[in-house]
Amino acid sequence: FWIAAGVMLLAGLVTWFSSGKAAQQIQVEATETPDDKSEAKAKPTGLGSVLFSTFGLFLLILILSSVANNGINNQISNILPNVYGMSEVAVSSLISLAGLLNIVFFFAAGWWMGRSGGMPVLTSGLSLRLVGSLLMAILGLVANSPLLLVAAAMQLLYQGTPFVRMIKLTSSVAVE
């Protein structure tokens, strides 16, 4: 875990300090109008202004959501049997079903994003993750939780992923 954390920290620092030019290009393109023939100057942005901006909040939400989601995904085969008493066969089946449904939901997320833009898709994906996580947490506190509700909460948690990842993919393509 420490090696993975170190690699992620290094990747984050490289991205953080090397993406200023791309951010300025996006900012310049957004402020240009067809009638504006003058060369637009991007205002300088420092680390503090990026951290305490809408973009910084967006990054914080994505990072925290991804860390929490990845932590649950990596431990789901331990969580479901030990907390809820599910059999290994049921856990394996639920994970397989989640993977199959993810493929379907990637197509649905792409279709929806093409019609309404990225933000509603991202918000829905994060909301699915939140609802699934909260349901699993609440059901974990209840003795003898109904396994069908636990399975549904787990699927909600997992099916938010395609919606969140789809916007990440298109955002990275738009920057290039």
Side-chain angles (χ1 to χ4, degrees), residues 58 113 116-124 167:
F58 177 75
M113 195 166 55
S116 63
M119 202 48 84
V121 176
L122 175 68
T123 304
S124 297
I167 187 67

Side-chain angles (χ1 to χ4, degrees), residues 131-143:
V131 169
S133 299
L134 285 175
L135 282 173
M136 286 186 73
I138 292 167
L139 290 170
L141 296 174
V142 175

Side-chain angles (χ1 to χ4, degrees), residues 87-150:
S87 70
E88 288 81 9
V89 173
V91 172
S92 178
S93 299
L94 282 173
I95 293 171
S96 298
L97 178 63
L100 183 63
L101 289 174
N102 264 201
I103 294 169
V104 173
F105 279 111
F106 264 109
F107 287 107
W111 173 82
W112 185 16
M113 195 166 55
R115 295 180 58 106
S116 63
M119 202 48 84
V121 176
L122 175 68
T123 304
S124 297
L126 292 172
S127 298
L128 282 173
R129 284 181 174 180
L130 174 66
V131 169
S133 299
L134 285 175
L135 282 173
M136 286 186 73
I138 292 167
L139 290 170
L141 296 174
V142 175
N144 297 323
S145 297
L147 293 182
L148 194 55
L149 286 177
V150 172

Side-chain angles (χ1 to χ4, degrees), residues 6-172:
V7 169
M8 291 304 298
L9 177 63
L10 180 63
L13 289 173
V14 168
T15 303
W16 192 270
F17 291 109
S18 66
S19 61
K21 185 176 178 183
Q24 287 177 348
Q25 288 173 345
I26 292 171
Q27 184 179 13
V28 168
E29 289 174 6
T31 59
E32 287 180 352
T33 60
D35 298 338
D36 189 14
K37 299 295 181 189
S38 65
E39 198 172 306
K41 292 186 179 181
K43 62 180 179 179
T45 55
L47 183 59
S49 64
V50 171
L51 285 175
F52 298 106
S53 67
T54 305
F55 179 71
L57 179 62
F58 177 75
L59 281 179
L60 179 67
I61 290 168
L62 284 181
I63 289 169
L64 292 177
S65 171
S66 293
V67 166
N69 191 57
N70 289 338
I72 292 173
N73 286 348
N74 290 330
Q75 292 298 318
I76 200 73
S77 60
N78 293 324
I79 293 170
L80 291 177
N82 293 325
V83 175
Y84 306 104
M86 277 190 187
S87 70
E88 288 81 9
V89 173
V91 172
S92 178
S93 299
L94 282 173
I95 293 171
S96 298
L97 178 63
L100 183 63
L101 289 174
N102 264 201
I103 294 169
V104 173
F105 279 111
F106 264 109
F107 287 107
W111 173 82
W112 185 16
M113 195 166 55
R115 295 180 58 106
S116 63
M119 202 48 84
V121 176
L122 175 68
T123 304
S124 297
L126 292 172
S127 298
L128 282 173
R129 284 181 174 180
L130 174 66
V131 169
S133 299
L134 285 175
L135 282 173
M136 286 186 73
I138 292 167
L139 290 170
L141 296 174
V142 175
N144 297 323
S145 297
L147 293 182
L148 194 55
L149 286 177
V150 172
M154 181 260 191
Q155 290 299 329
L156 280 175
L157 174 66
Y158 269 58
Q159 298 321 313
T161 300
F163 296 96
V164 174
R165 288 193 179 155
M166 184 61 74
I167 187 67
K168 289 179 187 178
L169 295 172
T170 57
S171 296
S172 64

